[in-house]
């Protein structure tokens, strides 16, 4: 079959070039659909009950993660001139298109009392710019009396203050957020230059904007690095520019197909899919080198370029297909998870691993059919003395010291189990960024001064319409909020309860001592003033602090109330512990004897739950990849003993990689959770390559097992070494990432390539010497008949590339 395919490719090379150009142009056109992803809750399946509840929450109360916080801590801020610049800065922020509201010290409102009309009304504290330092100090003292803002906008202990910028929901998950963030920071830089006051930026929208910008930059960086590595590696290997051009051409076509696939399917670029183009390039280069290396070997054998190209496809076709199939299986394992970003990653990667195989199978032979035949200089690399000397040394150790190999393997495996035990499945909202980055340091600023900035929401169902405004329910909600306020990593809750407390304080002329819920004695008076303030239509007035709070924290029926808080970036593990051991027990304790029901939700909660899904996905993707690959190997060899032997070296390599992960303190997260299934799909290729050749040696040459093991090591060893080094160099480029997860992926993937090279060149041959019987049935070799040592000489034909006509020639001896 593969001989016929080879002849078809050479004979129809013009048509294939036209088809390839048109199809690649079409895939390149699909790139126009590519967009950046701004949604970090995509890890949780859309049908998960908590995700469904979260979507309903946003429909009722709006976005929870739409705040960009700007922090300031400098006594110079409260000097008259600097405070005037702060007023100008906040005014400038409010005028940026896409910003819904700015809550900042210069624009704070308070509730004033109108005794004549028996109502409260919102009033600005800073109606105009203070004209003197004394006036400013007086107004600041008044601000400190307003308990509603205490430790929300102003830190009562050190004077740190925050500016809360609400982003319009139409901008929140769109590319427009990036220029909005840039404009904000430009205004901030101007303010800092005027005052010398440093600004700290945080909040989910800001973090996502920074992450998206970095992802876009790293996509470009890794594309460039992967292409450079491709060119350098191929030139270092072949020392020929035609090899560099041919392989780079194939790589660039595969690249366009990969990116085009993402656009065709409507997948957005996120932290994982941004790695795909570079990863697929890395995976394509070995296939190019396999084909080109075999072409040179065939040419050396009989000196005919066209015949060498045909034999290359015929002999390597099935081998290359199976190698790419197992690699694809490693990626496709993630398709069967419930995690959207992993599914998208697996689909695009799995498809394009096969695309890379077919493109290489077409581009490499066609390109070199137009090139001159290779000369002696281009073939010199085939006789590498250092590699052969190293393999001879390894072969001697395999035959003379097998127990040493087993002993080292056992010790390494036991140490690896110890390391694996230390792996923690934990993610942080910003843990992919370095600790010393501005984003992380600014986040720490808010955690020190305001307990945190990550959104946490609790919705309480009172069980009846307008139940929110019943005093007994409000008292229970207040009791619950006081429990939450006692946690040092959770900010003071904001809800309608706090607004009612502020209303009571306003009724008593803003005396701080009266900041509390209306009592039975003053309830009717306070609520009357409040009712007259809100009126029938005033809830639609977004400039009114009371209207905004009622709209944002109570649903239209008055049955559901929202408690909004901010929490520190505790990490998924500690976050889950906080929910399980503190918040949910507090809910049970407070509301157990009432009709009130509470649910915890929010972006931060969904983020924590996503980590649990990643753990399950890791297991399921590994199992899926394992089953598929084992079935492939089973179909290929039809021998249970060989299948088991082939798996052991690769399992050992994965265990050692896992051990390194634990010892290096690398946690499981979206990027690192993929390492094991992908690595397994790649590293098993060396075993297949070795065992296929070994079984051919046994079957056709009828030689002893030890001789077959040694001969196979010397013949397949160079390609295993070269391929492993190429993959190592390809994956190691990710070490230059500014994202911790991507950097870890680069370290562990590149390490697993070298580890598997060692296990497949030492442990695999040793296992064959010890446990293989050497018996091979004819049925067992059916799938292997197109491998190197089995080729029907009478099928050789010469194709005149000038006339594209086929004529028979005499068999070659």
């Amino acid at each position: 079959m593969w001989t016929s395919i080879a002849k078809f490719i050479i004979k129809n090379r013009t048509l294939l070039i036209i088809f390839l150009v048109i199809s690649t142009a079409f895939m390149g056109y699909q790139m126009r659909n590519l967009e950046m992803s701004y949604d970090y809750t995509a890890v949780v399946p859309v049908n998960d009950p908590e995700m469904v509840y979260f979507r309903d929450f946003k429909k009722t109360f709006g976005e929870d993660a739409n705040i960009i916080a700007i922090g300031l801590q400098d006594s110079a801020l409260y000097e008259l001139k600097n405070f005037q610049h702060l007023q100008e800065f906040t005014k400038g922020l409010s005028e940026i298109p896409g910003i819904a509201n700015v809550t900042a010290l210069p624009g704070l409102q308070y509730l004033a009392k109108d005794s004549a009309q028996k109502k409260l009304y919102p009033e600005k504290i800073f109606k105009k710019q203070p004209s003197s330092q004394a006036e400013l100090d007086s107004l600041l003292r008044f601000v400190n009396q307003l308990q509603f803002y205490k430790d929300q906008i102003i830190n009562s202990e050190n004077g740190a203050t925050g500016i809360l910028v609400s982003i319009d929901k139409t901008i929140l998950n769109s590319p427009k957020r990036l220029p909005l963030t840039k404009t904000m920071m430009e205004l901030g830089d101007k303010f800092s230059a005027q005052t010398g006051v440093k600004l700290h930026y945080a909040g989910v929208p800001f973090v996502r904007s920074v992450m998206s910008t970095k992802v876009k930059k790293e996509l470009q960086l890794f594309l460039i690095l992967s292409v450079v590595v491709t060119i350098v590696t191929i030139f270092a290997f072949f020392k020929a520019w035609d090899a560099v051009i041919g392989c780079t051409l194939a790589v660039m076509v595969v690249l366009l197909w990969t990116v085009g696939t993402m656009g065709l399917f409507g997948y957005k670029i996120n932290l994982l899919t941004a790695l795909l183009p570079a990863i697929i390039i890395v995976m394509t280069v070995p296939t190019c080198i396999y084909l080109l290396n075999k072409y040179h070997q065939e040419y050396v054998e009989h000196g005919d370029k066209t015949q060498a190209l045909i034999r290359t496809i015929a002999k390597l076709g099935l081998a290359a297909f199976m190698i790419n199939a197992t690699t694809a299986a490693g990626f496709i394992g993630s398709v069967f998870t419930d995690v959207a970003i992993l599914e998208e990653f697996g689909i695009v990667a799995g498809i394009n691993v096969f695309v890379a195989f077919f493109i290489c199978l077409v581009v490499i032979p066609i390109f070199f059919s137009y090139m001159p035949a290779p000369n002696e200089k281009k073939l010199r690399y085939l006789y590498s003395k250092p590699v052969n000397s190293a393999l001879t040394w390894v072969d001697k150790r395999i035959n003379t010291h097998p127990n040493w190999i087993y002993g080292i393997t056992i010790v390494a495996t036991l140490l690896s189990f110890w390391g694996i035990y230390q792996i923690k499945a934990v993610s942080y909202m910003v843990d992919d960024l370095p600790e010393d980055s501005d984003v992380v340091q600014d986040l720490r600023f808010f955690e020190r001064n305001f307990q945190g900035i990550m959104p946490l929401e609790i919705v309480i169902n009172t069980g009846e319409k307008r139940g929110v405004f019943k005093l007994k329910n409000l008292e229970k909600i207040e009791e619950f909020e006081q429990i939450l306020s006692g946690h040092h990593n959770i900010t003071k809750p904001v809800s309608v309860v706090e607004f009612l407390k502020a209303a009571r304080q306003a009724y008593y002329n803003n005396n701080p001592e009266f900041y509390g819920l209306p009592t039975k004695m003053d309830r009717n008076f306070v609520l009357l003033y409040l009712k007259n303030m809100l009126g029938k239509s005033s809830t639609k007035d977004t400039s009114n602090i009371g209207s905004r709070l009622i709209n944002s924290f109570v649903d239209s029926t008055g049955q559901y109330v929202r408690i909004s808080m901010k929490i520190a970036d505790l990490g998924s593990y500690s976050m889950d512990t906080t929910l399980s051991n503190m918040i949910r027990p507090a809910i049970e304790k407070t509301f157990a004897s009432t009709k009130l029901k509470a649910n915890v939700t929010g972006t931060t909660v969904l983020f924590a739950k996503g980590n649990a899904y990643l753990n399950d996905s890791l297991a399921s993707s590994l199992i899926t990849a394992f089953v598929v690959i084992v079935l492939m190997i089973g179909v290929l060899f039809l021998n249970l003993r060989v299948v088991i032997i082939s798996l052991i070296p690769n399992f050992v390599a994965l265990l050692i990689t896992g051990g390194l992960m634990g010892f290096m303190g690398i946690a499981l997260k979206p990027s690192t959770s993929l390492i094991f299934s992908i690595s397994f799909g790649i590293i098993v290729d060396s075993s297949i390559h070795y065992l296929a050749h070994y079984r051919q040696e046994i079957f056709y040459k009828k030689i002893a097992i030890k001789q077959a093991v040694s001969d196979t090591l010397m013949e397949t060893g160079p390609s295993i070494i070269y391929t492993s080094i190429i993959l190592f160099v390809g994956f190691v480029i990710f070490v230059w990432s500014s994202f911790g997860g991507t950097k870890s992926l680069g370290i562990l993937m590149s390490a697993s390539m070298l580890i598997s090279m060692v296990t497949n060149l030492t442990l695999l041959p040793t296992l064959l010497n010890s446990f293989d019987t050497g018996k091979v049935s004819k049925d067992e070799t059916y799938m292997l008949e197109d491998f190197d040592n089995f080729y029907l000489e009478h099928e050789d034909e010469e194709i005149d590339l000038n006339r594209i006509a086929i004529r028979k020639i005499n068999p070659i001896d």
Side-chain angles (χ1 to χ4, degrees):
M1 179 183 78
W2 289 98
T3 303
S4 300
I5 292 173
K7 294 173 182 176
F8 176 83
I9 290 172
I10 299 300
K11 182 179 179 181
N12 298 282
R13 59 181 182 169
T14 303
L15 289 175
L16 288 172
I17 290 172
I18 293 172
F19 171 77
L20 204 57
V21 169
I22 294 173
S23 59
T24 303
F26 171 77
M27 296 305 291
Y29 181 69
Q30 299 305 313
M31 291 170 58
R32 76 191 194 285
N33 299 321
L34 282 177
E35 295 180 3
M36 296 299 299
S37 173
Y38 303 96
D39 185 5
Y40 280 61
T41 60
V43 175
V44 182
V46 294
N47 59 349
D48 179 83
E50 290 194 33
M51 176 60 83
V52 173
Y53 188 86
F54 181 54
R55 288 201 302 270
D56 292 339
F57 165 85
K58 292 198 290 185
K59 289 178 183 177
T60 303
F61 297 107
E63 291 286 344
D64 71 321
N66 66 332
I67 300 292
I68 294 180
I70 306 174
L72 311 87
Q73 185 183 11
D74 195 322
S75 59
L77 178 67
Y78 302 107
E79 295 174 4
L80 180 61
K81 187 176 181 180
N82 290 335
F83 191 83
Q84 290 172 343
H85 286 308
L86 179 63
Q87 286 181 305
E88 294 171 359
F89 174 46
T90 55
K91 181 182 178 183
L93 290 175
S94 64
E95 293 173 351
I96 298 175
I99 289 182
N101 185 62
V102 176
T103 302
L105 181 57
L108 292 183
Q109 295 180 356
Y110 72 101
L111 296 180
K113 180 181 178 182
D114 185 342
S115 300
Q117 299 188 38
K118 297 188 184 312
K119 73 174 185 178
L120 304 176
Y121 63 94
E123 184 78 299
K124 284 190 174 182
I125 299 172
F126 298 91
K127 299 176 184 179
K128 59 183 179 63
Q129 284 192 348
S131 57
S132 66
Q133 186 67 45
E135 182 184 356
L136 174 60
D137 292 342
S138 176
L139 291 172
L140 290 174
R141 283 194 295 271
F142 178 71
V143 171
N144 289 329
Q145 292 179 353
L146 300 176
Q147 299 300 300
F148 182 82
Y149 295 116
K150 182 180 179 181
D151 296 328
Q152 294 282 4
I153 300 298
I154 304 173
N155 185 309
S156 57
E157 295 181 359
N158 60 24
T161 184
I163 302 172
L164 304 181
V165 182
S166 300
I167 309 299
D168 189 279
K169 65 179 181 180
T170 59
I171 302 293
L172 199 59
N173 292 316
S174 75
K176 294 179 181 178
R177 189 171 63 190
L178 297 180
L180 182 149
T181 305
K182 182 180 178 182
T183 303
M184 284 180 57
M185 296 186 73
E186 287 173 351
L187 288 176
D189 291 342
K190 180 181 177 182
F191 168 78
S192 294
Q194 292 171 331
T195 63
V197 176
K198 183 179 180 181
L199 299 182
H200 304 269
Y201 297 87
V204 174
F206 179 76
V207 172
R208 289 177 179 174
S209 295
V210 172
M211 297 277 277
S212 299
T213 302
K214 285 184 175 290
V215 166
K216 187 175 182 180
K217 289 181 179 178
E218 294 210 347
L219 171 61
Q220 299 167 348
L221 171 66
F222 292 138
L223 278 178
I224 294 171
L225 283 178
S226 58
V227 172
V228 170
V229 166
T230 297
I231 294 172
V232 171
T233 303
I234 294 172
F235 185 79
F237 189 84
F238 293 105
K239 303 292 192 303
W241 285 110
D242 59 347
V244 171
I245 295 170
C247 292
T248 304
L249 181 63
V251 163
M252 296 309 294
V253 173
V254 173
L255 171 62
L256 288 174
W257 274 75
T258 302
V259 180
T261 303
M262 293 168 61
L264 184 66
F265 290 168
Y267 295 158
K268 294 185 177 182
I269 299 173
N270 54 48
L271 194 58
L272 281 181
T273 53
L275 305 178
L276 274 172
I279 288 177
I280 298 300
I281 288 175
V282 171
M283 302 307 305
T284 303
V285 174
T287 303
C288 292
I289 290 179
Y290 269 131
L291 291 170
L292 193 51
N293 179 241
K294 187 61 181 174
Y295 163 57
H296 288 161
Q297 290 177 347
E298 289 295 325
Y299 183 79
V300 168
E301 184 177 341
H302 49 69
D304 188 293
K305 181 181 75 172
T306 304
Q307 189 171 301
L309 290 170
I310 293 175
R311 283 192 170 190
T312 295
I313 300 171
K315 291 184 176 184
L316 277 189
L318 179 61
F321 178 81
M322 291 301 297
I323 286 172
N324 279 271
T326 55
T327 301
F331 288 104
I332 292 174
S334 60
V335 174
F336 299 96
T337 67
D338 290 326
V339 180
I341 59 174
L342 295 184
E343 290 177 11
E344 294 174 5
F345 182 89
I347 289 171
V348 176
I351 289 173
N352 284 284
V353 166
F354 282 113
V355 167
F357 162 72
F358 287 111
I359 287 175
C360 290
L361 202 68
V362 171
V363 170
I364 297 300
I366 289 178
F367 178 81
F368 285 97
S369 70
Y370 286 104
M371 293 292 104
N375 54 35
E376 183 179 346
K377 182 179 179 181
K378 294 179 181 179
L379 300 173
R380 196 176 299 159
Y381 76 94
L382 292 172
Y383 314 101
S384 174
K385 290 183 179 180
V387 172
N388 289 330
S389 298
L391 291 171
T392 301
W393 183 88
V394 170
D395 182 51
K396 185 176 180 181
R397 298 303 173 278
I398 289 169
N399 288 292
T400 58
H401 298 92
N403 291 335
W404 276 100
I405 294 174
Y406 288 135
I408 293 171
T409 300
I410 291 170
V411 171
T413 302
L414 292 175
L415 287 173
S416 299
F417 277 116
W418 183 22
I420 291 170
Y421 180 75
Q422 299 179 55
I423 295 177
K424 293 181 179 179
V426 57
S427 294
Y428 294 84
M429 294 289 277
V430 295
D431 72 340
D432 270 324
L433 296 174
E435 182 65 28
D436 59 354
S437 68
D438 290 340
V439 174
V440 176
Q441 290 304 307
D442 285 353
L443 178 65
R444 301 291 176 255
F445 170 86
F446 280 94
E447 290 176 350
R448 288 192 306 269
N449 293 285
F450 298 99
Q451 281 70 57
I453 196 62
M454 301 304 173
L456 179 63
E457 305 287 344
I458 296 175
V459 178
I460 296 176
N461 179 3
T462 62
E464 57 182 326
K465 291 184 178 180
R466 299 197 60 78
V468 169
F469 301 104
K470 287 189 174 182
L471 185 57
K472 64 176 183 179
N473 291 338
L474 291 170
E475 288 173 345
K476 276 294 179 183
I477 295 171
E478 181 188 29
E479 179 185 339
F480 176 62
E481 289 183 357
Q482 288 174 347
I483 296 174
L484 295 179
S485 298
H487 196 287
H488 69 279
N489 285 319
I490 298 178
T491 64
K492 175 184 171 183
V494 178
S495 72
V496 70
V497 169
E498 296 302 309
F499 175 61
L500 290 173
K501 289 180 180 180
R504 183 171 183 259
Q505 182 182 355
Y507 178 78
Y508 289 102
N509 299 315
N510 284 302
N511 186 335
E513 295 181 2
F514 289 93
Y515 185 78
L517 280 174
T519 65
K520 292 181 180 180
M521 293 181 62
D522 59 25
R523 177 180 59 184
N524 292 334
F525 301 105
V526 174
L527 293 182
L528 174 63
Y529 273 68
L530 190 58
K531 181 179 179 181
N532 291 337
M533 169 192 169
L534 296 175
K536 293 183 178 180
S537 60
S538 61
T539 55
K540 297 180 181 179
D541 181 9
T542 57
S543 66
N544 184 314
I545 183 175
S547 301
R548 290 203 311 270
L549 282 166
I550 294 297
N551 281 333
S552 299
F553 292 93
V554 180
D555 79 314
S556 58
T557 67
Q559 180 174 335
Y560 295 89
V561 61
R562 165 192 182 186
I563 301 174
S564 184
M565 297 156 287
K566 299 294 185 288
I567 190 169
D569 189 14
L570 303 174
S572 55
Y573 180 80
S574 295
M575 180 65 192
D576 189 60
T577 302
T578 300
L579 291 173
S580 302
N581 297 344
M582 197 281 282
I583 295 178
R584 291 195 172 103
I587 290 173
E588 180 65 25
K589 178 182 178 181
T590 307
F591 303 123
S593 60
T594 70
K595 294 180 179 179
L596 305 182
K597 304 294 181 184
N599 283 292
V600 186
T601 189
T603 299
T604 308
V605 174
L606 269 293
F607 172 79
K609 183 158 191 178
N611 201 64
Y613 271 104
L614 286 175
N615 292 336
D616 295 338
S617 300
L618 170 63
S620 62
S621 62
L622 258 178
I623 292 170
T624 302
F626 170 77
V627 171
V628 172
I629 291 171
V630 168
L631 288 175
M632 288 180 181
I633 297 173
V635 170
L636 190 63
F637 293 107
L638 299 177
N639 185 302
L640 180 61
R641 186 191 304 271
V642 171
V643 171
I644 294 172
I645 290 174
S646 69
L647 294 176
I648 293 174
N650 299 296
F651 276 150
V652 170
L654 288 181
L655 287 172
I656 295 174
T657 302
L660 287 175
M661 187 174 181
F663 289 130
M664 295 175 69
I666 298 174
L668 281 177
K669 60 186 73 175
S671 47
T672 57
S673 67
L674 294 169
I675 290 169
F676 298 99
S677 58
I678 295 175
S679 290
F680 186 52
I682 297 172
I683 63 179
V684 77
D685 297 345
S686 296
S687 297
I688 293 175
H689 189 58
Y690 187 100
L691 287 169
H693 194 102
Y694 164 75
R695 301 303 277 180
Q696 296 288 344
E697 291 284 312
I698 294 289
F699 185 80
Y700 293 110
K701 294 185 179 180
K702 309 293 184 184
I703 58 179
I705 292 175
K706 286 194 174 183
Q707 185 62 48
V709 167
S710 296
D711 290 351
T712 302
L713 180 67
M714 298 305 299
E715 292 186 37
T716 63
S719 62
I720 291 174
I721 291 173
Y722 293 141
T723 303
S724 298
I725 292 174
I726 291 166
L727 290 170
F728 169 82
V729 173
F731 282 114
V732 85
I733 65 173
F734 295 120
V735 172
W736 277 270
S737 172
S738 59
F739 293 114
T742 306
K743 184 178 295 186
S744 298
L745 182 143
I747 293 171
L748 294 175
M749 286 294 293
S750 55
S752 68
M753 297 302 108
L754 295 184
I755 295 167
S756 66
M757 177 188 74
V758 174
T759 57
N760 277 297
L761 291 178
T762 57
L763 183 58
L764 178 59
T766 305
L767 288 168
L768 290 171
N769 276 338
S770 301
F771 299 104
D772 193 31
T773 62
K775 296 179 181 179
V776 184
S777 65
K778 289 188 176 181
D779 293 338
E780 187 178 331
T781 63
Y782 176 73
M783 287 291 289
L784 303 178
E785 62 182 12
D786 283 334
F787 273 69
D788 289 359
N789 287 330
F790 188 80
Y791 185 74
L792 300 179
E793 303 278 350
H794 63 79
E795 290 185 352
D796 280 343
E797 292 180 347
E798 180 181 329
I799 296 181
D800 187 340
L801 293 176
N802 295 318
R803 300 178 60 188
I804 310 298
I806 300 177
R807 61 186 178 82
K808 291 193 174 182
I809 62 174
N810 294 328
I812 297 177
D813 296 330

